[in-house]
Amino acid sequence: MRRILLSTVKILISAALLYFSLRKVNLYDLASRIQVESLGWLGLAIAVTFLQIFLGVLRWREIGVECGAPLETSQAMRFNVIGTFFNQTLPSSIGGDAVRLWLVARAGAGWRAATYSIFVDRAVGLIALAVVIAATLPWSYRLISDPHGWTALLLLDLAGLAAGFGFLLIGVLPWPWLARWWATHHIHACAVIANRVLFSRAHGLKVATLSIAIHVVTVVIGWCVVKSIAAPVTFGEIFQLLPPVMLITMMPISIAGWGVREATMALAFGYAGLIANEGVNVSLLFGAVTFVVGVFGGLVWILSPEKAAKGAAPIEVPGSQ
């Protein structure tokens, strides 16, 4: 009953935010702006989204090795693509993580190793996103003239940095009770792994580079969407505005981020002196691109050996013996 109520609340949040975001948007005008050349840009956005998923696979594999959950590239790619489908269907912008966790655990890694690999992967992504936002703050200060908007952006990034680096700090604090107490045991273990991944010669540079690249590619996807409708937005502006929006969208309070992303994008565009409705248009098409990739992930799920097995028997992880 609690899960049903929580899902219902998230559906209502998405619906309410979408309503307030779309009430001043002319969807017919948006549709009329999608021409033949627009399909090329949207197709490129879809292709770049698959590239982003592949970069995520490479990072996840590096982290999985340290967590005791090794995966082959093809297997990890399949799991990530399937995750995009469940991101669109489960009541959260990160709902696919639960499915990836289940798939990795069933593949023979076990629940603990699978959970650690997903959690650390998400934490590293959050830290990288906060760092990208921090790096663009000097330019964002010039773009966002509204003091309320600038303050909100600064506080958002500080919260992201505090959460990310606070998590890493847990892994290096010399307090034995962090590793023993039931409330901090698993968080501490994940933090230790995250520090080992980020600051090791074997993984550090590769994971950091992949993490930054993933967020840069997100901006490229947004830029392709902007070009598809010839929105009056520069690449630099979308680079400064989209990462904070994606950080907010990570909060699991809606269905696949719908509503939250549109409302936040409209607000961000408004604070930057751009047309707020264009922010909603870009967000809708960005979501549509993700949805198309999610549909492909659904097909992969239907044809996958994991679904065919129906949970009857574990599937071995190649190279884990």
Side-chain angles (χ1 to χ4, degrees):
M1 179 60 69
R2 187 192 307 178
R3 286 196 295 268
I4 293 174
L5 290 175
L6 184 60
S7 297
T8 302
V9 169
K10 291 179 178 180
I11 291 172
L12 292 175
I13 290 174
S14 288
L17 290 174
L18 277 174
Y19 169 76
F20 286 114
S21 300
L22 297 177
R23 59 180 177 170
K24 294 183 180 180
V25 173
N26 188 334
L27 295 178
Y28 293 103
D29 176 67
L30 174 60
S32 68
R33 294 166 63 183
I34 300 178
Q35 308 295 327
V36 175
E37 58 270 21
S38 301
L39 299 180
W41 283 108
L42 293 175
L44 180 59
I46 292 171
V48 175
T49 301
F50 279 109
L51 171 62
Q52 182 187 52
I53 293 173
F54 180 68
L55 294 176
V57 164
L58 297 180
R59 183 181 70 188
W60 188 24
R61 284 199 64 203
E62 295 291 318
I63 293 172
V65 169
E66 291 294 332
C67 295
L71 291 167
E72 286 192 344
T73 301
S74 59
Q75 188 180 33
M77 184 69 181
R78 185 170 69 252
F79 290 176
N80 264 8
V81 171
I82 290 172
T84 64
F85 168 67
F86 286 99
N87 273 339
Q88 298 297 312
T89 56
L90 294 180
S92 170
S93 61
I94 56 175
D97 285 351
V99 176
R100 288 199 297 151
L101 190 159
W102 179 77
L103 289 170
V104 176
R106 276 197 59 229
W111 291 107
R112 176 176 294 189
T115 302
Y116 285 5
S117 73
I118 300 297
F119 188 88
V120 173
D121 185 56
R122 273 290 175 179
V124 170
L126 169 64
I127 294 169
L129 182 55
V131 168
V132 168
I133 296 171
T136 62
L137 282 177
W139 293 272
S140 298
Y141 181 75
R142 292 196 291 267
L143 176 65
I144 301 175
S145 57
D146 188 293
H148 296 95
W150 167 249
T151 301
L153 175 60
L154 181 60
L155 291 177
L156 174 68
D157 191 42
L158 288 176
L161 290 172
F165 288 103
F167 167 69
L168 293 179
L169 182 61
I170 291 175
V172 296
L173 289 174
W175 299 336
W177 62 267
L178 287 172
R180 294 195 300 264
W181 188 32
W182 66 269
T184 59
H185 170 66
H186 294 299
I187 296 293
H188 177 267
C190 288
V192 169
I193 293 171
N195 278 285
R196 193 161 63 233
V197 167
L198 288 174
F199 301 109
S200 70
R201 291 184 178 180
H203 307 290
L205 181 60
K206 185 175 181 179
V207 168
T209 302
L210 287 169
S211 298
I212 298 298
I214 287 169
H215 297 304
V216 172
V217 168
T218 300
V219 175
V220 174
I221 297 168
W223 175 242
C224 291
V225 169
V226 166
K227 296 294 288 184
S228 72
I229 56 174
V233 185
T234 68
F235 182 82
E237 289 168 342
I238 203 71
F239 198 104
Q240 294 166 62
L241 296 176
L242 188 55
V245 171
M246 299 312 296
L247 181 59
I248 294 174
T249 305
M250 289 177 67
M251 295 188 299
I253 59 174
S254 65
I255 302 296
W258 286 101
V260 174
R261 184 180 55 244
E262 284 68 38
T264 309
M265 192 76 90
L267 190 64
F269 270 51
Y271 278 139
L274 304 172
I275 303 172
N277 286 356
E278 287 287 35
V280 178
N281 290 336
V282 170
S283 182
L284 287 173
L285 289 177
F286 188 97
V289 167
T290 306
F291 180 81
V292 171
V293 174
V295 170
F296 181 83
L299 295 176
V300 173
W301 166 242
I302 291 172
L303 300 174
S304 68
E306 288 79 18
K307 187 177 189 304
K310 298 180 180 179
I315 302 171
E316 294 297 330
V317 178
S320 63
Q321 300 299 323

